[in-house]
Amino acid sequence: MQWATTTLAVCGLGAAALATSMLTLGRRLELSQAKHRSLAGHARMARRLAGFVPFYDYDEERFFASDGAPADIADLRRTGFARLSELYKTRFAETISRSAEAAEAISDLQFTGAYRVPFQYRRVVRAHLPLGAFLQSSDGVTVTDLDGNRFYDLTGSYGVNVFGYDFYKGTIERGAARVHELGPVLGAYHPLIIENTRRIKEISGLDEVSFHMSGTEAVMQAVRLARYHTRRSHLVRFCGAYHGWWGDVQPGIGNPLPTHETYTLAEMSEDTLHVLRTRRDIACVLVNPEQGLHPNAPAPTDSSLLDSTRSSHFDKAAYTEWLKRLRQVCSERNIVLIFDEVFVGFRLAPGGAQEYFGVRADLVTYGKTIGGGLPIGVVCGRKDLMKRFRDDRPADICFARGTFNAHPYVMAAMNEFLRLFQTPDVQALYRDLDAVWDGRAQRLNRRLADEGLPVQVANMSALWVVCYTQPSRYNWMLQYYLRAQGVALSWVGTARLIFSLNYTDADFDAVADRFVAAAKAMQQDGWWWHDPATTNRTIRRAIMKEMIAHRLFSRRKH
Ligand SMILES: Cc1ncc(COP(=O)(O)O)c(C=O)c1O
C-alpha cells in the first residue's frame, strides 16, 4: 500500500514536472517565434557570428573590379578615383592634416575613421580619400572646414540640430548670461529649472521630469524605473532599434558581454503581441519611433553597404496602428510603455512622437535638441512610475543621481530652447512639415529617376535614408562624391541624412542639385556598371565565399 502511494506520488510529481517543462518549452518557442528572422533579430547569434568574420582587404587591382567589371570600367573607376583623391588632398589639405594628427590620440576618431566603408575597401579608401574631422564655423544651414570650404550640413549633429545652428548659438549664449552669477554650482538648482519642468510637462503631457546628462542615461533610468515599479526583470526592445550604447539596450554586436534581461523582438508582429500578452517577466517595452522608417532594421551605415538591400519606407498609418495595439497590450498587462524620443522628439510634431502618432506613453525620454545645444537626457513620466523610493520600505530605493544632472548652464540653454520652441513662429514650422519634406523627397526622386540614376531617398519628415535601386558593391562611394560636391555627412554616410527645419526651398534645391551632380559623377566614373546577372543575392554569396576562403586560409597559417 505504502509502495503504491509512493509510486503514485512520484508519478504525480513527474507529471507535474513534465507539464511545467512543456510549458516552459512552449513559452521559449513563442519567444523564438517573436524574433525577427534577420540576424539583427538574433542578438546572440549575431555576436557569435561576428567573431568569425575574418579581416581581409582588396589590393588596388581588385578594389576597382571586385564585382568582375571589365578592364575598361575598372580604368574608368581608377581615373575617377584619382581625380577625387587629388581634389580631396588639395581642397581639404589643412583639415585632413590636422585630423590625421589628432586621430593618433583620439580613439573615437580611429573608430569612425575605420568604419566608413566596408572593411574590404578600407585600406585603399583611407590612403587616397582621407576625411577631415574638423570644422571652424557654422552659419545658416552650412558648416565650414579649416580650409574655408562650405558644406550644406546634413549631419544634423546627430539629431541635435532641429532649428539651425544659429538658433542654438543664441540659446547657449543667452542662457549662459542668465546663469552667469551662479556659475557652475552643482547640487543646488538654479530657479530656471522650475519653468523648464513646467514646459516639459506641458509638451509631454506627463507628471514629472528628471534630468540626466545624455540620452543613454535617460533610457537607462527609464528602464530602471520600470523594473523597480513592476518588479519584473526584462525589457523588450525591437529589432534594429537604437537606444544608446548602454549594455542592456545593445545586446548584439558592439557589446562585449551578452545581455540576460533583454528580449529583442520583431516590430509590427502578432507574435510579439502574443509574447507581451502571455509572459510575466516583462517590465517595459522600449519604442524608438524613428524605426517607423525601417521597422526591424537598423539604419545600416555605409560601412556595411556591400549590396543594395538597404530599404526604407515610412507608412505612417501602419506604424500608428502598431503603436496603438502595443499601447493596448501594455495597458492590459501593466507593462510600462516607454517612448524613446531622444532622436525624434521635437522633430515630428510640437508634442513629439506621442502627438504625431496619437499614442500616449507611460514614460518618455528626450535628449539631444532639448538641451538647447548642450548635453542632456530627460525622463518624463507618470507620477507613480517616477517615484524612486517606497513609503513603506525605506531601504527599497531606485537610485539615480549624477554629478552634472541639471547643470545650471544646460538648464539655462534648455530654458531658452523651450521658450523659443513654444513661440507661435516656431510652432508654425510644424504646420505643413510632412507635406514640405515629402514634396522635397519626391522632387529629388523624380530628378534622380529622370537622369537614370540608381538612387532614391526615403523619408520620415526631415529624416532621410538613401536607398539604391540596382545591385552594386560600390554604393558607399556616393558619400565621397557628395562631400566633393560640398555636402557634409556624418560618419554613417548616406544611411542617414538629417535636415534641420530652417532649410528653405532654395537651400534644399541647392542640396538637390549637388546630390544629382554627385550621383551623375559617380555613374560617369563607372561605379554603377552592372552585370545583368548580378543580384544582391549573388553579391552576398560571393562575399560569403571570400570570407570562408580567408577564414580557412588564416587557420592554415596558424
Ligand atoms: C533613440 C535614441 N536613444 C538614445 C540615444 C542615446 O543618446 P546619447 O547619444 O545622448 O547618449 C540616441 C542617440 O542617438 C538615440 O537616437
Side-chain angles (χ1 to χ4, degrees), residues 175-196:
R178 286 173 68 196
V179 291
H180 175 75
E181 260 185 69
L182 177 62
V185 177
L186 299 169
Y189 295 138
H190 189 284
L192 280 174
I193 200 172
I194 298 171
E195 186 183 333
N196 290 353

Side-chain angles (χ1 to χ4, degrees), residues 383-534:
K383 200 167 193 55
D384 57 318
L385 289 174
M386 294 293 281
K387 188 161 175 161
R388 300 184 195 170
F389 58 94
R390 293 184 206 283
D391 294 328
D392 57 342
R393 298 262 191 289
D396 183 358
I397 55 175
C398 181
F399 188 82
R401 307 280 299 150
T403 303
F404 289 106
N405 291 0
H407 191 294
Y409 282 79
V410 178
M411 288 300 108
M414 178 190 284
N415 187 266
E416 291 291 323
F417 172 90
L418 291 169
R419 282 180 177 204
L420 273 179
F421 172 72
Q422 292 190 304
T423 57
D425 278 358
V426 174
Q427 294 286 300
L429 277 176
Y430 293 91
R431 210 171 292 134
D432 295 315
L433 196 60
D434 277 5
V436 167
W437 286 99
D438 290 352
R440 288 173 178 174
Q442 280 159 19
R443 278 209 314 274
L444 177 57
N445 279 339
R446 222 172 296 127
R447 283 183 68 181
L448 292 165
D450 290 347
E451 297 280 356
L453 296 163
V455 191
Q456 290 280 284
V457 295
N459 73 303
M460 172 194 259
S461 206
L463 295 175
W464 292 27
V465 185
V466 180
C467 301
Y468 300 88
T469 58
Q470 152 196 305
S472 169
R473 276 180 173 234
Y474 289 102
N475 296 320
W476 47 266
M477 271 300 291
L478 182 60
Q479 59 171 304
Y480 292 94
Y481 282 89
L482 282 166
R483 290 190 181 103
Q485 286 291 332
V487 175
L489 302 173
S490 73
W491 73 278
V492 300
T494 62
R496 179 65 81 240
L497 311 183
I498 305 174
F499 289 92
S500 47
L501 304 188
N502 59 328
Y503 261 88
T504 61
D505 278 339
D507 295 328
F508 178 76
D509 288 343
V511 170
D513 289 346
R514 287 162 193 239
F515 198 104
V516 173
K520 266 177 152 173
M522 177 155 160
Q523 190 178 49
Q524 278 156 12
D525 287 342
W527 299 100
W528 280 317
W529 167 86
H530 179 230
D531 174 353
T534 299

Side-chain angles (χ1 to χ4, degrees), residues 13 47 109 116 156 173 199 258 310 313 326 424 447 487 507:
L13 277 177
R47 272 164 43 83
L109 279 185
R116 289 184 194 278
E173 206 175 301
R199 287 182 185 270
R310 179 195 281 173
H313 168 67
L326 205 52
R447 283 183 68 181
V487 175
D507 295 328

Side-chain angles (χ1 to χ4, degrees), residues 364-387:
V364 177
T365 55
Y366 297 113
K368 300 195 190 259
T369 196
I370 196 177
L374 296 182
I376 190 67
V378 175
V379 181
C380 315
R382 279 183 3 219
K383 200 167 193 55
D384 57 318
L385 289 174
M386 294 293 281
K387 188 161 175 161

Side-chain angles (χ1 to χ4, degrees), residues 56-70 73-74 77 118 120-121 306 472-474 476 527 529 534 538-539 542-543 546:
Y56 64 96
D57 59 9
Y58 300 144
D59 59 19
E60 296 217 0
E61 196 176 325
R62 183 120 172 86
F63 181 91
F64 294 105
S66 60
D67 54 354
I73 297 293
R77 290 173 178 171
Q120 296 89 339
Y121 301 90
L306 274 165
S472 169
R473 276 180 173 234
Y474 289 102
W476 47 266
W527 299 100
W529 167 86
T534 299
T538 61
I539 294 175
I543 289 162
E546 287 173 9

Side-chain angles (χ1 to χ4, degrees), residues 92-162:
F92 309 136
E94 173 72 2
T95 313
I96 288 170
S97 109
R98 298 284 292 279
S99 306
E101 190 187 322
E104 295 197 359
I106 301 181
S107 41
D108 205 40
L109 279 185
Q110 293 164 22
F111 176 76
T112 51
Y115 288 90
R116 289 184 194 278
V117 302
F119 65 81
Q120 296 89 339
Y121 301 90
R122 182 195 291 171
R123 182 164 50 92
V124 178
V125 171
R126 293 188 78 183
H128 299 285
L129 293 177
L131 284 183
F134 289 127
L135 294 172
Q136 61 173 328
S137 62
S138 62
D139 179 26
V141 293
T142 63
V143 288
T144 301
D145 72 6
L146 305 190
D147 299 88
N149 301 296
R150 265 155 75 102
F151 298 82
Y152 281 92
D153 183 68
L154 300 190
T155 71
S157 284
Y158 297 116
V160 170
N161 184 17
V162 178

